[in-house]
Amino acid sequence: MFNNNPFDNTEENESPIMPIFTEIEGNIDLDCKGAEENDLPILPLRNMVMYPGVALPVSVGRSKSLKIIKEAYAKKKFIGVVCQRDMTVEDPELKDLYPVGSVAEILKILEMPDNGTTVILQGKKRFEIKEITSTEPYLRANVSFLEEIAPPEKDKQYKALISAVKDLTFNILKTIGEATREMIFAIRNIESIHYMINFLCTNIPIEASQKQKLLEIDSIEKRTYMLYKMMSKEAQLIEIKADIQSKAREDLSQQQREHFLQQQIKTIQDELGGNTQEQDIIELRQKAEKKKWNQSVADTFEKEVKKLERLHPQSPDFSIQFNYLQTMIDLPWNEYSKDSFNLKHAQRTLDKDHYGLEKVKERIIEHLAVLKLRGDLKSPIICLYGPPGVGKTSLGKSIAESLKRKYVRMSLGGLHDEAEIRGHRRTYIGAMPGRIIQGLLKAKTSNPVFVLDEIDKIGNDFKGDPASALLEVLDPEQNSTFHDNYLDIDYDLSKILFIATANNLNTISQPLLDRMELIDISGYIQEEKVEIARRHLLPKQLENNGLEKGEIDIPKKTMNAIVENYTRESGVRELDKKIAKILRKIARKKASEEEYPKSLTVSDLKEYLGMQEYSRDKYEGNEYPGVVTGLAWTAVGGEILFVESSLSKSKREKLTLTGNLGDVMKESAVIAMQYIKSHADLLNIPEEVFDKWSVHIHVPEGAIPKDGPSAGITMITSLASSFTQRKVKPNLAMTGEITLRGRVLPVGGIKEKILAAKRANIKEIILSEENRKDIEEIKDTYIKGLTFHYVKDIKEVLDLALLKEKVAHPLNLN
């Protein structure tokens, strides 16, 4: 309870010496005539309040304080002793000091073994600072002395109060077991009641601010009452502590012992002013005051902070609760970056970063225009789909740059845990928010451009279905109140511009597709690839490989050869790798100080890229009946394929299919055979032929899996050509689905198929009438040199495709 071991600070404070008992006879306010007209040098103390009559040792460390002590001691002058409001202030001013202090006399100066200085001071009389008269070489102040109101000498109530204070003091000393006989003897034999009260006020273990309150009370009686209340509270705490100690002493397990020690550490930290828990909570509240969240979120935050205050810092729940509150604080509630409404700048940015892709650019400019006019618009959910390497992901970064928004990318490939989207509940160990909230924490704004990459490659298992969890994220009507399990508060995602990317829409669930605006990014034609390579890929790879801009050039002719002979894709990813391969070899020559070409020619490609890897898709001609050119869409773009059919004698009807065909393609072959049999009279095919001849349909390049309904009309044409032995029109390709009744249905991937046809030097293409709209949307540069035939029925296909001419030696089908 008493300051036998005072605070251990390096600056002015109570020295670790036993309190000095000096009893003052008579009035405690001693003669202060040594003070010159109430102008006193001021000695600021940390964590210590001096009372009149009490003598205490004080450690002095500050240079100004040493000057005060030495000068006053030499001249036998009084000094003013005042407590600081904040112990951390090194050079206190008037605002840093309490107004009421005590005049003190320097009794003795001691030089300590650790080269420190300790001075023994005795309080004389209280005073109040009026104004600071000087700050150098130390503080001086004009003060007015304060009188203390003594109680009546024969006041029985006051005598009873003093007796109660003494009894309470002795009880406390006996309870804590720290009192010596000298201590009890000294208190019992103090004749001056006034001095005893001041002595106890000096030594009870309360904060300096509380001691200061006692010093500022003029009435000795009121001061004694206040002292009694504080001592009563301390006595109760000591009794509770003693009771806990006695119970814990009976049987302390290791765990209980550790907890008890932690409680002791906490108490020590509180006394030393180093309670990090309180500091952390104060910092959280200070940050919360600056947040722009609504009242309901503020109420939730305050409720969670109060939970944190009740937790012990060493408990596991404390870090969980603290991390949750830190996440709440770090989220950008209602904080938005300012959109750039300069449409021309946005168009220039998009054109600079990406060549082509006009539909996507047009959609982004439209969104900006509407946002500019209206000022507030829910952001759309855009899905860019197309083959790999066409720039879907990098387009998202360009969109963010054109809008001057933050950019966040989230890869969904292989994601199969719903908690990755919605977050984990805080009841789980290691719980954390979902990837959406984590993205916002990274962006530090609530309206970034958020790219959901590879949305078609989401999986699902026993942990849930992430695609279903994305429904709330990508629904403009729901995402204004998105609920993350970890956060457990609704968050507004409606201002985020979500851009999803996919290679194949067939694997995306229909409800999810319904919430997105689909934009097709098809493959590039050869001229576009050359431009992209020269404008974007070559400068990027020059920098990546340590070469200067313009140090080497790949002319258009050479770039055409790379695209045609060394890549086979819809995008430009493989082309990027080939350019990187060339520049790595050139970098090696440069580093070795060897000669290398400044401008790469076609003949140089063999040295830098090896032998030609691909040959142009070649049309195989129409010398044989039953061979028809079809058009197919693959993951790397459009391809031409050849459907071959042949007949062989057999005692029974038989249909054989080869070429690694998928189920849908096999079904197309069966439908084609059935149509030929049911319409044999239109083709002048005797019905008995089907009983004597078996049919074999083969699609070459059998190592490549092929599936889909678009080869339907190709198969019918091939079978009709075989049974009639009529040749197929030269330089003709076709694509379309068929029905049993002979209708030709539309198919997808038209642009990629047309690019494949141009590469193979095809001149005419047969399509379904319903695909006419797809052709009209394609630029003229894509379809230049092609003739399109739009059909509704298979009869039109056969009339266009089959020539009247038959082979020179037709099979005898009779």
Side-chain angles (χ1 to χ4, degrees):
M1 169 186 172
F2 292 93
N3 290 335
N4 295 341
N5 187 14
F7 299 99
D8 242 348
N9 291 313
T10 57
E11 296 296 323
E12 289 74 56
N13 211 331
E14 298 178 23
S15 175
I17 299 176
M18 290 289 291
I20 299 171
F21 300 98
T22 302
E23 181 182 349
I24 301 167
E25 301 294 339
N27 190 353
I28 200 167
D29 292 331
L30 297 185
D31 186 12
C32 292
K33 292 179 181 178
E36 298 176 359
E37 298 182 358
N38 299 348
D39 186 47
L40 293 177
I42 301 299
L43 176 66
L45 298 183
R46 294 184 173 110
N47 283 335
M48 176 181 172
V49 179
M50 175 159 278
Y51 285 80
V54 180
L56 280 177
V58 177
S59 295
V60 180
R62 287 183 280 206
S63 58
K64 287 186 177 182
S65 301
L66 287 169
K67 285 181 182 179
I68 294 172
I69 295 302
K70 289 179 180 178
E71 288 185 15
Y73 187 67
K75 298 177 182 179
K76 298 184 179 180
K77 295 288 187 179
F78 289 103
I79 62 172
V81 178
V82 183
C83 182
Q84 290 183 204
R85 295 180 186 272
D86 184 357
M87 65 176 290
T88 60
V89 177
E90 185 64 26
D91 192 8
E93 300 176 0
L94 178 61
K95 62 181 174 59
D96 301 314
L97 303 174
Y98 286 108
V100 177
S102 293
V103 178
E105 179 186 1
I106 303 172
L107 300 180
K108 195 169 185 179
I109 296 177
L110 304 174
E111 296 298 331
M112 305 304 290
D114 59 355
N115 296 325
T117 301
T118 297
V119 59
I120 299 174
L121 301 176
Q122 184 178 39
K124 295 294 183 180
K125 189 168 187 172
R126 297 183 311 129
F127 67 83
E128 183 177 7
I129 297 176
K130 291 302 182 183
E131 62 177 345
I132 298 294
T133 59
S134 175
T135 58
E136 294 296 337
Y138 43 73
L139 283 176
R140 295 189 71 89
N142 186 277
V143 303
S144 62
F145 297 116
L146 301 176
E147 299 297 332
E148 296 192 330
I149 303 169
E153 293 181 4
K154 298 181 180 180
D155 189 341
K156 293 183 179 179
Q157 185 174 352
Y158 182 66
K159 288 183 178 179
L161 177 61
I162 294 299
S163 178
V165 169
K166 281 187 175 182
D167 292 342
L168 187 56
T169 301
F170 297 146
N171 288 338
I172 292 174
L173 289 173
K174 292 175 183 177
T175 303
I176 62 178
E178 296 176 2
T180 61
R181 290 184 179 180
E182 292 79 5
M183 175 82 73
I184 297 174
F185 177 80
I187 294 173
R188 185 171 288 160
N189 289 280
I190 292 176
E191 294 184 5
S192 172
I193 295 174
H194 190 173
Y195 173 76
M196 184 188 73
I197 297 301
N198 285 355
F199 177 79
L200 294 176
C201 288
T202 302
N203 290 285
I204 60 173
I206 58 174
E207 294 180 2
S209 60
Q210 299 285 29
K211 292 182 180 181
Q212 183 68 28
K213 286 182 181 179
L214 289 171
L215 179 65
E216 292 175 2
I217 298 174
D218 294 332
S219 171
I220 303 301
E221 186 176 4
K222 289 182 180 179
R223 187 185 299 169
T224 308
Y225 270 113
M226 183 66 71
L227 174 64
Y228 183 75
K229 287 181 181 179
M230 292 180 180
M231 292 178 67
S232 297
K233 183 178 178 182
E234 183 67 22
Q236 292 174 12
L237 292 174
I238 291 172
E239 286 180 8
I240 294 170
K241 181 179 177 181
D243 185 50
I244 293 172
Q245 287 176 337
S246 64
K247 291 178 180 177
R249 202 175 290 117
E250 294 175 1
D251 184 19
L252 275 178
S253 64
Q254 183 65 21
Q255 183 178 358
Q256 290 171 320
R257 183 173 179 273
E258 289 176 2
H259 178 71
F260 181 75
L261 290 173
Q262 287 167 0
Q263 291 295 110
Q264 295 292 318
I265 291 170
K266 182 178 181 297
T267 304
I268 294 169
Q269 287 177 340
D270 291 343
E271 288 292 326
L272 294 174
N275 192 341
T276 56
Q277 177 189 4
E278 290 184 7
Q279 188 62 33
D280 290 339
I281 292 171
I282 291 171
E283 289 178 4
L284 285 174
R285 284 203 166 101
Q286 288 174 346
K287 291 178 181 178
E289 290 174 0
K290 301 175 184 178
K291 302 304 289 184
K292 299 178 182 178
W293 50 33
N294 56 39
Q295 189 58 44
S296 63
V297 179
D299 293 342
T300 303
F301 176 81
E302 185 59 31
K303 183 177 74 173
E304 297 296 334
V305 169
K306 288 179 179 177
K307 285 184 185 176
L308 183 69
E309 289 176 330
R310 293 193 295 267
L311 294 173
H312 190 274
Q314 303 298 328
S315 70
D317 291 339
F318 181 85
S319 61
I320 294 172
Q321 186 72 3
F322 183 79
N323 290 339
Y324 171 73
L325 290 168
Q326 194 66 52
T327 301
M328 282 190 70
I329 288 288
D330 291 341
L331 274 172
W333 299 89
N334 298 320
E335 296 176 18
Y336 304 105
S337 58
K338 188 175 181 181
D339 287 332
S340 170
F341 295 120
N342 188 334
L343 302 186
K344 291 182 179 178
H345 168 74
Q347 186 71 56
R348 284 196 301 270
T349 303
L350 293 172
D351 289 340
K352 175 175 68 72
D353 293 343
H354 289 81
Y355 183 81
L357 307 178
E358 302 303 331
K359 284 173 64 178
V360 186
K361 295 176 184 177
E362 183 182 355
R363 179 65 187 87
I364 298 304
I365 298 299
E366 287 171 0
H367 171 67
L368 260 180
V370 176
L371 195 61
K372 181 178 181 179
L373 295 176
R374 185 171 174 178
D376 181 22
L377 178 70
K378 286 186 177 180
S379 293
I381 314 297
I382 296 172
C383 180
L384 308 176
Y385 70 96
V390 295
K392 299 184 296 297
T393 303
S394 60
L395 189 63
K397 188 175 288 187
S398 295
I399 291 171
E401 185 180 346
S402 66
L403 294 172
K404 292 189 176 178
R405 289 191 181 187
K406 296 290 186 180
Y407 171 76
V408 181
R409 176 181 168 273
M410 174 180 169
S411 179
L412 298 175
L415 195 73
H416 54 78
D417 188 354
E418 182 186 342
E420 291 286 332
I421 306 296
R422 290 187 181 276
H424 307 81
R425 298 193 182 279
R426 279 184 288 155
T427 52
Y428 298 108
I429 295 174
M432 58 193 301
R435 300 270 291 277
I436 303 295
I437 296 297
Q438 289 181 40
L440 293 174
L441 288 169
K442 187 189 301 182
K444 297 181 180 178
T445 175
S446 290
N447 64 335
V449 173
F450 209 117
V451 175
L452 301 172
D453 217 3
E454 310 291 356
I455 199 171
D456 57 326
K457 297 176 180 61
I458 296 177
N460 58 49
D461 59 11
F462 64 92
K463 296 178 182 177
D465 183 7
S468 298
L470 276 175
L471 294 178
E472 183 183 5
V473 176
L474 300 183
D475 191 337
E477 299 301 322
Q478 297 182 42
N479 62 10
S480 60
T481 55
F482 172 69
H483 189 86
D484 184 275
N485 289 331
Y486 179 83
L487 195 61
D488 206 22
I489 308 172
D490 290 342
Y491 197 92
D492 185 6
L493 306 180
S494 62
K495 302 298 188 297
I496 299 174
L497 178 57
F498 284 103
I499 299 177
T501 70
N503 298 129
N504 186 4
L505 298 182
N506 296 331
T507 57
I508 303 176
S509 66
Q510 191 59 41
L512 195 55
L513 273 179
D514 188 52
R515 285 160 170 80
M516 298 187 291
E517 182 178 339
L518 302 178
I519 298 179
D520 181 16
I521 302 183
S522 51
Y524 299 110
I525 60 173
Q526 185 156 330
E527 290 78 7
E528 288 178 330
K529 290 182 180 180
V530 171
E531 286 298 322
I532 292 169
R534 287 178 56 78
R535 293 187 187 188
H536 303 289
L537 304 184
L538 182 57
K540 181 186 76 172
Q541 290 300 340
L542 281 170
E543 183 181 351
N544 290 350
N545 290 280
L547 299 170
E548 297 294 331
K549 185 178 180 181
E551 192 170 352
I552 184 168
D553 182 43
I554 303 179
K556 285 189 177 182
K557 185 178 179 182
T558 309
M559 198 68 78
N560 262 310
I562 297 173
V563 172
E564 186 174 323
N565 300 327
Y566 292 92
T567 66
R568 181 61 55 86
E569 58 178 347
S570 291
V572 291
R573 188 168 288 146
E574 188 67 26
L575 177 59
D576 190 33
K577 294 177 183 177
K578 297 302 179 187
I579 294 172
K581 184 177 180 180
I582 293 171
L583 296 185
R584 283 197 303 271
K585 292 182 181 296
I586 289 175
R588 178 182 175 182
K589 287 190 174 184
K590 181 183 178 182
S592 303
E593 299 183 352
E594 300 177 13
E595 290 293 326
Y596 60 89
K598 303 296 182 183
S599 180
L600 209 66
T601 63
V602 176
S603 58
D604 293 328
L605 293 181
K606 185 176 180 181
E607 177 186 353
Y608 290 97
L609 293 178
M611 295 299 295
Q612 179 177 323
E613 296 180 19
Y614 301 101
S615 59
R616 178 188 280 270
D617 291 335
K618 293 182 179 178
Y619 171 68
E620 293 190 353
N622 67 334
E623 290 79 10
Y624 303 97
V627 179
V628 184
T629 304
L631 298 175
W633 181 91
T634 68
V636 294
E639 298 282 349
I640 66 169
L641 55 82
F642 304 99
V643 176
E644 302 175 350
S645 62
S646 64
L647 306 178
S648 59
K649 283 191 175 184
S650 176
K651 293 183 180 179
R652 58 186 178 85
E653 178 188 359
K654 185 180 179 183
L655 176 63
T656 304
L657 305 173
T658 55
N660 198 1
L661 308 182
D663 292 338
V664 177
M665 205 163 183
K666 290 178 182 178
E667 290 171 359
S668 295
V670 173
I671 293 171
M673 189 65 197
Q674 287 299 116
Y675 180 85
I676 292 293
K677 288 170 68 176
S678 59
H679 295 81
D681 54 332
L682 294 176
L683 299 170
N684 297 319
I685 302 173
E687 292 183 4
E688 59 271 14
V689 166
F690 300 107
D691 297 328
K692 299 177 181 178
W693 296 82
S694 62
V695 181
H696 186 165
I697 298 177
H698 176 65
V699 182
E701 295 184 79
I704 302 173
K706 296 167 282 290
D707 201 7
S710 60
I713 63 172
T714 312
M715 289 184 170
I716 283 188
T717 306
S718 175
L719 290 172
S721 175
S722 292
F723 277 109
T724 61
Q725 293 296 291
R726 291 163 64 183
K727 292 183 178 181
V728 177
K729 191 175 182 180
N731 299 108
L732 173 74
M734 60 187 71
T735 182
E737 184 180 355
I738 55 168
T739 67
L740 276 174
R741 291 177 292 174
R743 283 190 60 208
V744 179
L745 303 180
V747 291
I750 296 299
K751 183 179 176 182
E752 288 83 354
K753 292 176 180 178
I754 289 171
L755 295 181
K758 288 194 73 173
R759 286 198 302 267
N761 204 27
I762 298 293
K763 303 299 182 185
E764 298 180 62
I765 297 177
I766 298 176
L767 297 166
S768 168
E769 175 66 34
E770 296 180 45
N771 281 125
R772 184 189 293 269
K773 64 181 185 301
D774 299 309
I775 300 299
E776 291 174 352
E777 290 181 357
I778 298 174
K779 285 185 176 181
D780 292 340
T781 53
Y782 286 81
I783 59 178
K784 186 177 180 181
L786 293 173
T787 303
F788 296 95
H789 302 283
Y790 302 104
V791 297
K792 295 181 179 179
D793 192 271
I794 193 62
K795 296 174 187 176
E796 300 175 58
V797 177
L798 297 178
D799 290 341
L800 288 166
L802 297 180
L803 300 174
K804 300 295 183 184
E805 177 189 358
K806 295 188 177 183
V807 292
H809 302 286
L811 293 173
N812 182 11
L813 299 178
N814 296 322

